[in-house]
Amino acid sequence: MPLEEGDLVRPRGRQSSGEVSGTPRPGGMGDPSLRGTAAPGGSSTDGPAAGWEPGPALCDGDVTPEGAPMRAEQHEEALMTELSELVQKVVKSSSWWERHGVDISILACSFFLLPAGFLCLRSSQAIPFLVGILTLGVVHHTLTVKGSHLASHNALTESKSWGKVWAVFFIELCSAFTVEQATYNHVKIHHGYTNIIGLGDSSTWKLPFLNRYVYMFIAPLAVPILTPLVALDLLRNVEWKAAVRTLCCMFLGFYCHYWLLLHVSGFQSPWSALLCMLLTRSLLAHPYIHVNIFQHIGLPMFAADRKPRRIHLMSLGVLNLPRNSLLDWSFGHSLISCHVEHHLFPSLSDNMCLKIKPIVSQYLKQKKLPYNEDTYSSRLQLFLQRYEELMVQAPSITELVGIQ
């Protein structure tokens, strides 16, 4: 779905200091509070679009005598094409190990750590037991978050057939979700319509009936319970064969985990085993929820008929967090420090996103395009301070100024 085809950008006055107007469109879409290409609350936008000058206002379908909309589209396409060529050169010159091997090795290593984690839980001493909890928790999130994310984009292998196999294994068996709905919601909607109001605006992560502290610090503990419940509800939207396959994989994944805790780790009661399952599966649930909201919500949002073209959409509506050893391993670079690169080139593996990061960041800065970066602590503080505005109220619509 070529989201950017045929779009026009309507200027709404002069842009100052590289900001993007947050003036809401008619219809009560919220206060004009989210302004600027820089993420609110201290995030930096390197290479702001300084020097953008507004032209005469263009209404839908208007074409100036000079053909400004057509030239704008051609310029946008030329930017994305030029960046794609630069990235493609890097990809072609990279070995299989760089394209896929590094990430496959991380997933394989995590899988092989499972026996050690289950055996550590047999110990009656606190330290080995905690090591077992930490090991199983990190492994679980590596397989379910990193593995599922790469599999949903078919970034683990260049074979489509094997890609489907890995998708079923990581998304359904490990994560207890259905492949069809996971792929549709993430790849088609979130990536196809990033920060488009009503489509890819990350609304699925909002629970406005919860206060800020419950949502940010308590609700994530329920992720292991809510995920399969949501998946079961979504099975209504898939074919019966896919639903049966998903149910079988979900049951097999849960039962294997439960059986290993009873027969390998030596848990004496079903309730203690279930409690351990909940603990390990929610170990990194807090950063999982935080990362999903930090990197899009609070950045410019657009109406479907007023969205910028792809390269602007992704540079404006996506944010990178700093590198973190634990989250890089468990979630992958494409979800942490290379999220901008991932949204521009979603089929690349985590390691390749890391490799092209200098090229993408330098290119966007050279072309005076936003490159959003912020720290985890800064975003957490922002969301705690502006929770009502960002997570409860309807987001305001941003209308770009002077892009053409």
Side-chain angles (χ1 to χ4, degrees):
M1 53 176 67
L3 182 64
E4 66 276 14
E5 292 301 323
D7 295 336
L8 300 179
V9 180
R10 175 187 294 178
R12 300 276 297 196
R14 178 172 296 273
Q15 177 184 15
S16 61
S17 302
E19 288 190 345
V20 178
S21 169
T23 305
R25 292 181 54 77
M29 288 304 295
D31 296 328
S33 53
L34 302 181
R35 299 189 179 188
T37 57
S43 64
S44 65
T45 304
D46 292 327
W52 285 356
E53 292 295 334
L58 295 176
C59 297
D60 295 344
D62 288 352
V63 179
T64 65
E66 296 78 16
M70 181 63 69
R71 289 200 304 273
E73 291 182 6
Q74 293 174 347
H75 177 64
E76 297 280 326
E77 290 175 356
L79 289 176
M80 192 64 205
T81 299
E82 184 179 7
L83 178 59
S84 298
E85 290 175 351
L86 294 174
V87 170
Q88 190 63 25
K89 290 179 181 179
V90 177
V91 174
K92 289 182 177 180
S93 64
S94 301
S95 64
W96 176 89
W97 173 256
E98 292 175 305
R99 295 195 309 271
H100 304 292
V102 172
D103 293 296
I104 290 176
S105 297
I106 292 174
L107 293 170
C109 182
S110 298
F111 187 79
F112 289 130
L113 284 174
L114 283 173
F118 283 111
L119 290 174
C120 283
L121 295 181
R122 294 182 63 92
S123 176
S124 58
Q125 298 180 0
I127 294 180
F129 186 84
L130 290 176
V131 170
I133 293 291
L134 293 174
T135 300
L136 291 183
V138 172
V139 168
H140 171 76
H141 285 85
T142 304
L143 297 179
T144 57
V145 180
K146 179 183 176 72
S148 295
H149 187 233
L150 291 174
S152 68
H153 290 285
N154 198 33
L156 285 172
T157 175
E158 296 173 6
S159 168
K160 291 185 178 181
S161 298
W162 275 107
K164 294 179 180 178
V165 173
W166 291 125
V168 171
F169 176 78
F170 286 111
I171 299 175
E172 297 191 351
L173 187 67
C174 299
S175 305
F177 217 82
T178 175
V179 168
E180 286 77 8
Q181 285 297 306
T183 303
Y184 176 79
N185 290 329
H186 180 72
V187 179
K188 299 296 184 181
I189 300 299
H190 175 63
H191 274 268
Y193 299 90
T194 301
N195 281 23
I196 302 300
I197 299 295
L199 292 169
D201 60 359
S202 301
S203 295
T204 54
W205 295 103
K206 297 181 180 181
L207 298 174
F209 55 88
L210 298 178
N211 70 49
R212 66 196 67 202
Y213 298 105
V214 172
Y215 179 87
M216 301 296 288
F217 302 111
I218 299 177
L221 297 174
V223 168
I225 299 174
L226 295 177
T227 298
L229 294 179
V230 172
L232 290 174
D233 181 64
L234 292 176
L235 290 180
R236 298 176 301 172
N237 302 323
V238 301
E239 297 180 354
W240 70 269
K241 292 182 179 179
V244 171
R245 182 200 66 219
T246 300
L247 289 172
C248 291
C249 289
M250 290 172 62
F251 174 79
L252 182 61
F254 279 116
Y255 184 75
C256 286
H257 193 176
Y258 174 75
W259 187 92
L260 288 169
L261 288 174
L262 289 178
H263 295 87
V264 176
S265 299
F267 282 82
Q268 300 300 313
S269 70
W271 290 110
S272 62
L274 291 174
L275 182 61
C276 183
M277 287 179 63
L278 178 62
L279 183 59
T280 56
R281 288 171 178 250
S282 62
L283 184 69
L284 297 179
H286 289 82
Y288 173 73
I289 293 294
H290 294 169
V291 165
N292 275 285
I293 63 175
F294 289 174
Q295 294 179 314
H296 296 286
I297 298 176
L299 296 172
M301 300 282 182
F302 306 94
D305 62 343
R306 288 294 180 272
K307 61 185 180 295
R309 295 175 70 81
R310 180 175 177 81
I311 193 167
H312 274 101
L313 184 65
M314 300 309 176
S315 64
L316 286 165
V318 187
L319 177 142
N320 285 345
L321 295 170
R323 293 195 62 177
N324 178 285
S325 298
L326 177 61
L327 298 185
D328 285 346
W329 178 278
S330 302
F331 296 172
H333 301 297
S334 61
L335 290 179
I336 306 299
S337 61
C338 303
H339 204 52
V340 174
E341 289 74 14
H342 169 64
H343 267 260
L344 286 168
F345 304 98
S347 63
L348 297 183
S349 65
D350 288 332
N351 186 65
M352 284 306 303
C353 284
L354 184 63
K355 187 173 181 180
I356 69 169
K357 181 181 175 72
I359 296 173
V360 173
S361 62
Q362 182 180 9
Y363 182 84
L364 293 181
K365 293 171 186 176
Q366 287 178 347
K367 300 301 180 181
K368 308 300 185 203
L369 293 172
Y371 189 76
N372 295 313
E373 295 180 299
D374 199 5
T375 64
Y376 191 103
S377 60
S378 174
R379 298 299 285 178
L380 180 61
Q381 184 179 13
L382 169 71
F383 274 74
L384 290 176
Q385 291 175 346
R386 299 172 58 186
Y387 181 81
E388 289 289 327
E389 175 187 348
L390 299 178
M391 301 296 290
V392 178
Q393 300 172 7
S396 58
I397 294 178
T398 299
E399 295 196 32
L400 294 178
V401 179
I403 283 185
Q404 66 269 26

